[in-house]
């Protein structure tokens, strides 16, 4: 048992039994608390969309804005996508711990604000704040894990972190439906607050980061143009055929905006020393095909997890079924 526990500790090598016991005493509890805090924060960030899926029909019923509800999901994901590479580099330059704390505080604040939203527009704005926190949490959790544990068992723990994503996919909709039916949809967001505080305390108290700092340049222009391109495309797809005709100046202008932003983004990424997306990596067929599969499977998962609960509630709720009962 001692050998197993020690295998999870950084700096473990073959030593005598007395040194092993001392190593356990010095390291086991601290590393265990760090890993627990990281897993809890990853669970919050990964479950935030799945727990919301089965609550979305009730939220739209209370706040209105059926034609805008997609922004509740999209605002979070856009902010998260933009934040990941930026906070990843900032954490390398100025320290992981401070940006982990920043990310989890933003996530907690965003969650508290989401529960107070009076309109779907307010909720979308507050979800973007949550997304900024998620964009800091997810990449930094993995770098803290790499920094805190022995290289020999990083693969095992990476698998554990991956299992958290699977767990959130399975239990997120169930938990969201239960909370919505028996407590109130606001608690879909409020539930993040106590878990976030516990995770913050675990990592802030027990994680002692290395003093090494790596100087890097942040590709701000690439980040801005990428977000601009995604926002223009999503607004065009959202407005086209609903608020405006597909051939209207507004929609055509957004499409042209997308083309301009994506053109600038590609040009910038091919020239900067440290791009957000290195196109050279896509020359590797395995990397390119894996990312293509991830994009397609992710698009299918998000689409199904968002729209199927809305459809089910729209059809079955009118017959007297509540969200939690629909799952069974």
């Amino acid at each position: 048992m001692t050998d197993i526990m020690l295998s999870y500790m950084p700096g473990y090598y073959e030593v005598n039994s007395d040194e092993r016991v001392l190593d356990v005493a010095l390291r086991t509890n601290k590393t265990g608390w760090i890993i627990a805090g990281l897993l809890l924060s990853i669970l919050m960030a990964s479950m935030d969309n799945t727990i919301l899926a089965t609550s979305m029909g009730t939220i739209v019923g209370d706040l209105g804005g059926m034609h805008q509800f997609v922004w509740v999901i999209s605002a979070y994901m856009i902010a998260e996508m933009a934040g990941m590479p930026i906070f990843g580099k900032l954490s390398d330059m100025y320290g992981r711990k401070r940006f982990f704390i920043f990310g989890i505080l933003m996530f907690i604040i965003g969650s508290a604000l989401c529960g107070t939203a009076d309109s779907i527009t307010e909720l979308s704005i507050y979800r973007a704040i949550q997304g900024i926190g998620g964009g800091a949490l997810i990449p930094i959790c993995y770098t803290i894990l790499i920094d805190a544990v022995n290289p020999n068992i990083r693969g095992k723990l990476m698998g554990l972190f991956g299992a958290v994503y699977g767990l959130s996919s399975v239990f997120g909709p169930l938990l969201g439906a239960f909370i919505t039916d028996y407590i109130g949809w606001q608690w879909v967001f409020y539930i993040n607050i106590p878990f976030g505080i516990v995770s913050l305390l675990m990592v802030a108290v027990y994680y002692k980061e290395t003093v090494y700092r790596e100087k890097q340049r942040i590709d701000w222009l690439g980040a801005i143009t990428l977000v601009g391109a995604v926002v223009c495309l999503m607004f065009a797809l959202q407005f086209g055929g609903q608020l405006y005709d597909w051939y209207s100046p507004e929609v055509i202008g957004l499409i042209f905006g997308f083309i301009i932003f994506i053109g600038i983004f590609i040009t910038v990424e091919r020239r900067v020393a440290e791009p957000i997306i290195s196109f050279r990596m896509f020359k590797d067929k395995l990397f390119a095909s894996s990312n293509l599969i991830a994009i397609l499977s992710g698009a299918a998962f998000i689409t199904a997890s968002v729209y199927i609960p809305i459809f089910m509630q729209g059809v079955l709720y009118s017959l007297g079924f509540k969200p939690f009962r629909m799952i069974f």
Side-chain angles (χ1 to χ4, degrees):
M1 177 62 70
T2 300
D3 291 343
I4 295 174
M5 293 172 67
L6 273 167
S7 68
Y8 282 83
M9 300 300 106
Y12 167 66
Y13 301 96
E14 289 294 331
V15 293
N16 62 51
S17 58
D18 291 336
E19 289 176 338
R20 292 182 183 181
V21 173
L22 179 61
D23 206 0
V24 170
L26 291 176
R27 299 176 182 272
T28 300
N29 291 335
K30 290 184 179 181
T31 306
W33 285 116
I34 294 169
I35 294 172
L38 296 177
L39 288 172
L40 190 58
S41 61
I42 286 286
L43 179 64
M44 287 192 310
S46 63
M47 195 166 62
D48 205 61
N49 275 335
T50 58
I51 196 174
L52 185 62
T54 46
S55 307
M56 204 66 238
T58 303
I59 293 173
V60 171
D62 286 353
L63 302 182
M66 179 64 186
H67 62 288
Q68 298 175 324
F69 84 92
V70 69
W71 283 101
V72 177
I73 305 294
S74 300
Y76 177 87
M77 299 190 71
I78 291 173
E80 184 181 57
M81 173 204 68
M84 280 186 181
I86 295 173
F87 287 116
K89 286 195 173 184
L90 286 173
S91 68
D92 287 339
M93 295 167 63
Y94 302 110
R96 300 178 181 95
K97 190 172 183 178
R98 66 182 66 182
F99 284 102
F100 175 86
I101 293 173
F102 169 80
I104 205 162
L105 287 175
M106 289 293 291
F107 198 88
I108 291 171
I109 293 170
S111 298
L113 291 173
C114 285
T116 65
D118 294 322
S119 68
I120 206 75
T121 302
E122 281 187 12
L123 183 58
S124 299
I125 295 171
Y126 298 152
R127 286 279 291 167
I129 297 174
Q130 264 190 315
I132 294 172
L137 283 179
I138 293 177
I140 296 175
C141 280
Y142 284 97
T143 56
I144 290 177
L145 172 66
I146 291 171
D147 186 48
V149 302
N150 188 290
N152 295 332
I153 49 87
R154 285 174 186 168
K156 297 178 183 179
L157 291 178
M158 286 291 185
L160 186 61
F161 275 53
V164 170
Y165 283 93
L167 188 69
S168 68
S169 301
V170 173
F171 290 101
L174 180 64
L175 182 60
F178 179 83
I179 292 174
T180 301
D181 278 354
Y182 297 103
I183 303 177
W185 64 262
Q186 292 85 353
W187 281 93
V188 168
F189 303 105
Y190 290 151
I191 194 173
N192 292 324
I193 298 175
F195 289 121
I197 293 173
V198 171
S199 176
L200 173 64
L201 292 175
M202 286 179 177
V203 177
V205 172
Y206 292 105
Y207 174 57
K208 308 300 181 184
E209 64 180 326
T210 58
V211 297
Y212 174 73
R213 299 286 184 268
E214 182 179 352
K215 292 184 178 180
Q216 298 186 34
R217 294 181 179 179
I218 300 176
D219 182 16
W220 293 108
L221 183 58
I224 293 170
T225 52
L226 178 60
V227 173
V230 172
V231 170
C232 285
L233 179 62
M234 294 196 65
F235 270 117
L237 296 176
Q238 178 68 21
F239 292 161
Q242 296 187 32
L243 294 180
Y244 304 103
D245 186 78
W246 282 105
Y247 298 101
S248 65
E250 290 83 1
V251 175
I252 293 175
L254 287 170
I255 294 174
F256 272 109
F258 165 74
I259 294 172
I260 293 170
F261 275 122
I262 202 69
I264 297 173
F265 173 75
I266 293 173
T267 302
V268 169
E269 298 304 283
R270 293 171 68 90
R271 295 182 178 180
V272 296
E274 298 179 12
I276 287 180
I277 298 176
S278 177
F279 294 110
R280 290 191 298 270
M281 295 188 298
F282 291 93
K283 293 180 180 179
D284 185 331
K285 293 182 179 179
L286 178 60
F287 179 84
S289 59
S290 299
N291 277 274
L292 178 61
I293 293 171
I295 290 172
L296 295 176
S297 61
F301 173 75
I302 293 296
T303 302
S305 64
V306 172
Y307 283 98
I308 289 178
I310 292 289
F311 171 77
M312 294 290 289
Q313 291 182 48
V315 174
L316 298 181
Y317 191 78
S318 61
L319 301 178
F321 290 90
K322 291 186 176 182
F324 186 68
R325 295 292 301 275
M326 291 179 201
I327 296 177
F328 300 99

